[in-house]
Amino acid sequence: MPDIGLQDSVNAQLERMLSRPPFASSPSLSRLLRYLVEETVAGRSAEISEHTLGLRIFNRSADFNPRVDPIVRVQTHYLRAKLTQYYAAAGAQDPIVIELPARTYVPRIPQPEPVAAAPVPDPVAPTHTSRPAVAVGLGTAVVALAAFAFLGGAWHARGANPGPDAAAQDLYSRGRYLLDRQTESSLRESADCFRQAIARDPKFAAAYAGLADSLDDLVQYGFMPPHEGMDQARTAAEHALSLDSHLAEGYVALAAISEAYDWNFKRAETQYRRALELNPQLPAAHLWYGMFLRDQGRLQEAMPELRRAEEMEPMSVLASMNLAYALHMAKQTDAAIDMAKRTAELNPELPMADLLLASIDRAQSNPEDADARLVHALALSTGNAHALSVLACTYARLGRREDSERLLAEIQQIATARYVSPYDLGNVALSLGDTDRAANWLEEAYRERSTGMVFLCREKSDSIMSSLRLRSLVQKIGRG
């Protein structure tokens, strides 16, 4: 039988929390927290499950499959972050600390301290006070907050706007999750989720930033022509900032466009830095700034940013993948292997981890392991022109010219049915030493402002240096 006195104390604490920021402006997370706490206090914690939460809290149908729809996992990430925010500010002096430990949906509710008999304060956020995480037992606080921030937890509104409804928030959460999966299907579905969230709430600033990110990634992977995707992405990012000029996610989205499409690297760095000033706890800001620094050849500066992003969001496919490549560039081989394997575990559908591991295996004189990785990467790359181009370049570097030429022909065949970035074609030709054919494709890529062209700026191969046409392209891109 539940302890009536404890139940009353916890219920009072719950009402106090839900009346204050950040929960007061987040109805879906308030509903989730209320359900978890009330069920636990009533002695029914054994009945709490991911499936039950999907049905009862997030209005999923009876065939809800948590493996396909991550809404419960994503929203509990958010909830852990909100709890961290609450006890760091408005709830700093509260007598009862409600926690939601990692890998569980059952809250931990300790007995209140003796001071719990003090009168309940009015539901107004007190002045910020220091409350070290260790003192309140928030063992996973930093990771939880990072997960919230990486997924883009900036849906809270400023001013009178109460913020998006629960359905819009759910769509936004799913959009961010799918964006991080980094496959063509997930990126397209991600963009659709953000569009639906915007349709429900046209003032949902973070959803516009999310849409910009999805479109940017679709272009950068060669799944969409630059003029189509990047122009839409810029419009979405600028609109996000018109709705909320302090939205860090908006500046990250704009910086990515400045870097990859405008080739204005000075402006991109300013925008990345602005995002970090506005929200130093946003893992995406550290990640994209780290990628920018790495691609500018500033690896020593990039490594802390990339490490910070991965530490803050260890479940991010994009963060782990980019850190793995940076570690390989920094010749930290063992760490690169571990991170590449982690990337493959997080999303087994991506071929990029296998391609990196194959390169490392070859460098370590493990040709059999490398060949097995390449076979697996090839199976994962079917129909994906960008992935096939990376694989073809790898074959060329390994001296497997016939295999590289075969994949180049396959990419050209794909290009007869759908858009393929001329940069991907040119990059393969360049790896094969065919500078004339490479120059033809790369000049086309320059004209359409293909995002891959930024990588030519740091390319110093003999193929480029010996070609006047290619050297001219490098100089033009460097000037923006």
Side-chain angles (χ1 to χ4, degrees):
M1 179 178 295
D3 184 321
I4 300 301
L6 175 61
Q7 192 171 28
D8 289 344
S9 297
V10 172
N11 285 339
Q13 174 66 26
L14 178 62
E15 297 304 324
R16 179 187 297 113
M17 296 172 71
L18 299 183
S19 68
R20 296 172 167 180
F23 290 103
S25 61
S26 183
S28 65
L29 293 184
S30 294
R31 186 170 65 251
L32 175 59
L33 179 61
R34 181 183 292 280
Y35 179 84
L36 295 177
V37 171
E38 290 181 349
E39 290 296 292
T40 300
V41 171
R44 295 189 291 269
S45 61
E47 299 176 19
I48 299 175
S49 69
E50 192 169 354
H51 187 266
T52 300
L53 291 172
L55 269 60
R56 296 186 180 180
I57 303 302
F58 301 109
N59 302 315
R60 294 314 194 248
S61 59
D63 61 354
F64 169 61
N65 183 352
R67 291 182 178 272
V68 176
D69 186 344
I71 184 64
V72 176
R73 296 191 298 277
V74 171
Q75 291 288 50
T76 51
H77 269 312
Y78 285 176
L79 179 56
R80 292 186 183 99
K82 291 286 188 183
L83 289 169
T84 300
Q85 289 179 301
Y86 175 78
Y87 283 112
Q93 303 301 324
D94 284 6
I96 296 178
V97 176
I98 297 175
E99 302 171 297
L100 186 59
R103 294 179 293 278
T104 183
Y105 299 115
V106 178
R108 183 164 59 211
I109 308 172
Q111 293 282 346
E113 299 294 333
V115 296
V120 176
D122 293 333
V124 176
T127 302
H128 285 41
T129 57
S130 175
R131 188 187 184 94
V134 65
V136 298
L138 299 180
T140 60
V142 174
V143 171
L145 181 58
F148 167 80
F150 188 86
L151 290 166
W155 65 53
H156 61 280
R158 293 178 173 85
N161 182 18
D165 62 19
Q169 292 179 15
D170 289 352
L171 286 163
Y172 179 77
S173 302
R174 180 163 177 77
R176 282 292 177 185
Y177 171 82
L178 290 166
L179 175 61
D180 189 63
R181 304 304 290 167
Q182 295 290 290
T183 65
E184 180 178 6
S185 60
S186 72
L187 290 172
R188 292 191 182 279
E189 188 178 349
S190 170
D192 287 341
C193 285
F194 292 127
R195 289 190 183 101
Q196 292 175 55
I198 290 167
R200 292 194 64 89
D201 184 351
K203 295 184 178 180
F204 195 169
Y208 287 97
L211 176 59
D213 290 339
S214 294
L215 293 168
D216 176 88
D217 275 11
L218 283 166
V219 171
Q220 296 216 35
Y221 282 111
F223 300 135
M224 181 180 288
H227 72 274
E228 178 183 335
M230 286 303 200
D231 288 345
Q232 292 182 52
R234 191 195 310 278
T235 298
E238 289 176 346
H239 192 63
L241 290 171
S242 74
L243 292 169
D244 185 348
S245 61
H246 292 82
L247 185 69
E249 289 90 335
Y251 281 99
V252 173
L254 267 186
I257 298 164
S258 296
E259 174 190 0
Y261 187 54
D262 299 336
W263 306 331
N264 189 328
F265 306 124
K266 183 177 181 180
R267 184 174 68 205
E269 181 157 13
T270 298
Q271 290 165 334
Y272 283 129
R273 287 181 172 276
R274 178 59 175 156
L276 287 166
E277 289 173 4
L278 289 169
N279 187 358
Q281 298 303 318
L282 183 65
H286 291 281
L287 173 62
W288 282 86
Y289 185 42
M291 291 159 57
F292 167 81
L293 292 170
R294 179 200 63 195
D295 296 341
Q296 290 290 306
R298 297 157 61 182
L299 187 59
Q300 189 172 357
E301 296 174 73
M303 289 302 297
E305 300 294 338
L306 294 171
R307 287 186 184 278
R308 178 66 172 148
E310 195 279 331
E311 288 168 0
M312 296 176 78
E313 185 42 80
M315 300 301 289
S316 166
V317 175
L318 190 58
S320 61
M321 181 171 65
N322 279 281
L323 178 56
Y325 273 95
L327 288 166
H328 179 54
M329 292 170 64
K331 303 189 185 306
Q332 299 180 33
T333 304
D334 290 342
I337 291 172
D338 289 343
M339 195 56 59
K341 289 180 177 178
R342 178 171 180 78
T343 303
E345 291 172 359
L346 289 170
N347 189 356
E349 299 177 33
L350 287 179
M352 298 307 175
D354 281 301
L355 291 172
L356 174 58
L357 288 167
S359 296
I360 295 174
D361 286 333
R362 278 285 179 175
Q364 295 183 325
S365 300
N366 296 321
E368 291 184 2
D369 290 343
D371 288 344
R373 300 276 188 195
L374 292 174
V375 169
H376 190 235
L378 179 61
L380 293 174
S381 302
T382 302
N384 183 335
H386 175 71
L388 289 172
S389 74
V390 177
L391 184 56
C393 291
T394 302
Y395 281 146
R397 286 194 296 271
L398 296 176
R400 295 171 57 173
R401 186 179 184 87
E402 185 176 336
D403 289 326
S404 183
E405 290 276 14
R406 175 177 53 80
L407 288 184
L408 179 57
E410 183 176 342
I411 298 167
Q412 289 179 274
Q413 182 61 37
I414 293 173
T416 64
R418 59 167 297 172
Y419 174 76
V420 169
S421 171
Y423 169 79
D424 287 334
L425 291 162
N427 199 30
V428 178
L430 192 61
S431 297
L432 288 166
D434 189 343
T435 55
D436 286 338
R437 196 160 49 152
N440 290 337
W441 275 317
L442 292 175
E443 284 172 347
E444 182 183 350
Y446 175 82
R447 287 191 293 272
E448 69 171 37
R449 303 196 74 83
S450 177
T451 59
M453 293 296 286
V454 296
F455 297 110
L456 282 184
C457 291
R458 56 186 175 84
E459 185 67 61
K460 302 296 184 184
S461 67
D462 292 340
S463 296
I464 286 182
M465 301 311 292
S466 63
S467 168
L468 179 61
R469 294 168 68 189
L470 293 176
R471 289 205 314 272
S472 175
L473 285 178
V474 171
Q475 293 169 358
K476 289 178 182 177
I477 296 166
R479 291 195 296 267

